[in-house]
PDB file of all heavy atoms in Angstrom:
ATOM      1  N   ASN B  84      36.684 -25.897  -6.749  1.00  0.00           N
ATOM      2  CA  ASN B  84      35.349 -26.056  -7.332  1.00  0.00           C
ATOM      3  C   ASN B  84      34.582 -27.082  -6.499  1.00  0.00           C
ATOM      4  O   ASN B  84      35.108 -28.166  -6.229  1.00  0.00           O
ATOM      5  CB  ASN B  84      35.432 -26.560  -8.777  1.00  0.00           C
ATOM      6  CG  ASN B  84      36.048 -25.530  -9.710  1.00  0.00           C
ATOM      7  OD1 ASN B  84      36.192 -24.359  -9.343  1.00  0.00           O
ATOM      8  ND2 ASN B  84      36.415 -25.959 -10.901  1.00  0.00           N
ATOM      9  N   VAL B  85      33.369 -26.738  -6.115  1.00  0.00           N
ATOM     10  CA  VAL B  85      32.603 -27.651  -5.262  1.00  0.00           C
ATOM     11  C   VAL B  85      31.182 -27.826  -5.800  1.00  0.00           C
ATOM     12  O   VAL B  85      30.659 -26.962  -6.506  1.00  0.00           O
ATOM     13  CB  VAL B  85      32.507 -27.139  -3.802  1.00  0.00           C
ATOM     14  CG1 VAL B  85      33.848 -27.249  -3.109  1.00  0.00           C
ATOM     15  CG2 VAL B  85      31.976 -25.714  -3.746  1.00  0.00           C
ATOM     16  N   PHE B  86      30.564 -28.957  -5.442  1.00  0.00           N
ATOM     17  CA  PHE B  86      29.132 -29.137  -5.717  1.00  0.00           C
ATOM     18  C   PHE B  86      28.500 -29.866  -4.542  1.00  0.00           C
ATOM     19  O   PHE B  86      29.189 -30.525  -3.761  1.00  0.00           O
ATOM     20  CB  PHE B  86      28.905 -29.903  -7.036  1.00  0.00           C
ATOM     21  CG  PHE B  86      29.089 -31.394  -6.939  1.00  0.00           C
ATOM     22  CD1 PHE B  86      27.994 -32.250  -6.816  1.00  0.00           C
ATOM     23  CD2 PHE B  86      30.359 -31.953  -6.992  1.00  0.00           C
ATOM     24  CE1 PHE B  86      28.164 -33.633  -6.752  1.00  0.00           C
ATOM     25  CE2 PHE B  86      30.542 -33.343  -6.923  1.00  0.00           C
ATOM     26  CZ  PHE B  86      29.441 -34.179  -6.803  1.00  0.00           C
ATOM     27  N   GLN B  87      27.203 -29.707  -4.418  1.00  0.00           N
ATOM     28  CA  GLN B  87      26.478 -30.365  -3.328  1.00  0.00           C
ATOM     29  C   GLN B  87      25.063 -30.673  -3.776  1.00  0.00           C
ATOM     30  O   GLN B  87      24.428 -29.877  -4.464  1.00  0.00           O
ATOM     31  CB  GLN B  87      26.473 -29.457  -2.097  1.00  0.00           C
ATOM     32  CG  GLN B  87      25.751 -30.057  -0.900  1.00  0.00           C
ATOM     33  CD  GLN B  87      26.209 -29.470   0.430  1.00  0.00           C
ATOM     34  OE1 GLN B  87      27.390 -29.184   0.622  1.00  0.00           O
ATOM     35  NE2 GLN B  87      25.288 -29.284   1.342  1.00  0.00           N
ATOM     36  N   LEU B  88      24.595 -31.845  -3.370  1.00  0.00           N
ATOM     37  CA  LEU B  88      23.192 -32.235  -3.569  1.00  0.00           C
ATOM     38  C   LEU B  88      22.646 -32.435  -2.173  1.00  0.00           C
ATOM     39  O   LEU B  88      23.116 -33.317  -1.454  1.00  0.00           O
ATOM     40  CB  LEU B  88      23.147 -33.574  -4.284  1.00  0.00           C
ATOM     41  CG  LEU B  88      22.801 -33.650  -5.763  1.00  0.00           C
ATOM     42  CD1 LEU B  88      23.061 -35.056  -6.267  1.00  0.00           C
ATOM     43  CD2 LEU B  88      21.377 -33.247  -6.059  1.00  0.00           C
ATOM     44  N   CYS B  89      21.701 -31.614  -1.749  1.00  0.00           N
ATOM     45  CA  CYS B  89      21.196 -31.788  -0.383  1.00  0.00           C
ATOM     46  C   CYS B  89      19.777 -31.267  -0.262  1.00  0.00           C
ATOM     47  O   CYS B  89      19.284 -30.567  -1.127  1.00  0.00           O
ATOM     48  CB  CYS B  89      22.103 -31.068   0.606  1.00  0.00           C
ATOM     49  SG  CYS B  89      22.052 -29.273   0.466  1.00  0.00           S
ATOM     50  N   LYS B  90      19.154 -31.625   0.833  1.00  0.00           N
ATOM     51  CA  LYS B  90      17.820 -31.122   1.106  1.00  0.00           C
ATOM     52  C   LYS B  90      17.922 -29.663   1.535  1.00  0.00           C
ATOM     53  O   LYS B  90      18.891 -29.269   2.208  1.00  0.00           O
ATOM     54  CB  LYS B  90      17.174 -31.928   2.228  1.00  0.00           C
ATOM     55  CG  LYS B  90      16.844 -33.343   1.837  1.00  0.00           C
ATOM     56  CD  LYS B  90      15.588 -33.429   1.000  1.00  0.00           C
ATOM     57  CE  LYS B  90      15.185 -34.889   0.837  1.00  0.00           C
ATOM     58  NZ  LYS B  90      13.853 -35.037   0.298  1.00  0.00           N
ATOM     59  N   SER B  91      16.934 -28.871   1.166  1.00  0.00           N
ATOM     60  CA  SER B  91      16.809 -27.502   1.624  1.00  0.00           C
ATOM     61  C   SER B  91      15.346 -27.291   1.985  1.00  0.00           C
ATOM     62  O   SER B  91      14.479 -28.052   1.545  1.00  0.00           O
ATOM     63  CB  SER B  91      17.249 -26.526   0.533  1.00  0.00           C
ATOM     64  OG  SER B  91      18.614 -26.725   0.244  1.00  0.00           O
ATOM     65  N   PHE B  92      15.095 -26.258   2.776  1.00  0.00           N
ATOM     66  CA  PHE B  92      13.757 -26.098   3.353  1.00  0.00           C
ATOM     67  C   PHE B  92      13.292 -24.649   3.247  1.00  0.00           C
ATOM     68  O   PHE B  92      14.029 -23.740   3.624  1.00  0.00           O
ATOM     69  CB  PHE B  92      13.775 -26.513   4.829  1.00  0.00           C
ATOM     70  CG  PHE B  92      14.306 -27.902   5.040  1.00  0.00           C
ATOM     71  CD1 PHE B  92      15.677 -28.140   5.109  1.00  0.00           C
ATOM     72  CD2 PHE B  92      13.440 -28.980   5.142  1.00  0.00           C
ATOM     73  CE1 PHE B  92      16.177 -29.429   5.289  1.00  0.00           C
ATOM     74  CE2 PHE B  92      13.932 -30.273   5.323  1.00  0.00           C
ATOM     75  CZ  PHE B  92      15.303 -30.504   5.392  1.00  0.00           C
ATOM     76  N   ARG B  93      12.103 -24.442   2.739  1.00  0.00           N
ATOM     77  CA  ARG B  93      11.559 -23.081   2.670  1.00  0.00           C
ATOM     78  C   ARG B  93      10.139 -23.075   3.196  1.00  0.00           C
ATOM     79  O   ARG B  93       9.291 -23.825   2.729  1.00  0.00           O
ATOM     80  CB  ARG B  93      11.640 -22.553   1.232  1.00  0.00           C
ATOM     81  CG  ARG B  93      13.100 -22.401   0.835  1.00  0.00           C
ATOM     82  CD  ARG B  93      13.320 -21.786  -0.500  1.00  0.00           C
ATOM     83  NE  ARG B  93      14.770 -21.744  -0.759  1.00  0.00           N
ATOM     84  CZ  ARG B  93      15.334 -21.277  -1.851  1.00  0.00           C
ATOM     85  NH1 ARG B  93      14.571 -20.786  -2.813  1.00  0.00           N
ATOM     86  NH2 ARG B  93      16.641 -21.270  -1.989  1.00  0.00           N
ATOM     87  N   ASN B  94       9.935 -22.199   4.153  1.00  0.00           N
ATOM     88  CA  ASN B  94       8.637 -22.110   4.818  1.00  0.00           C
ATOM     89  C   ASN B  94       7.762 -21.092   4.094  1.00  0.00           C
ATOM     90  O   ASN B  94       8.273 -20.225   3.396  1.00  0.00           O
ATOM     91  CB  ASN B  94       8.859 -21.676   6.272  1.00  0.00           C
ATOM     92  CG  ASN B  94       7.765 -22.170   7.194  1.00  0.00           C
ATOM     93  OD1 ASN B  94       6.699 -22.573   6.758  1.00  0.00           O
ATOM     94  ND2 ASN B  94       8.054 -22.136   8.484  1.00  0.00           N
ATOM     95  N   ALA B  95       6.458 -21.167   4.317  1.00  0.00           N
ATOM     96  CA  ALA B  95       5.504 -20.156   3.863  1.00  0.00           C
ATOM     97  C   ALA B  95       5.501 -19.948   2.352  1.00  0.00           C
ATOM     98  O   ALA B  95       5.186 -18.871   1.890  1.00  0.00           O
ATOM     99  CB  ALA B  95       5.758 -18.826   4.570  1.00  0.00           C
TER     100      ALA B  95
END
Side-chain angles (χ1 to χ4, degrees):
Chain B
N84 293 347
V85 289
F86 79 99
Q87 180 156 323
L88 256 170
C89 68
K90 291 282 189 168
S91 297
F92 305 83
R93 294 185 182 179
N94 207 344

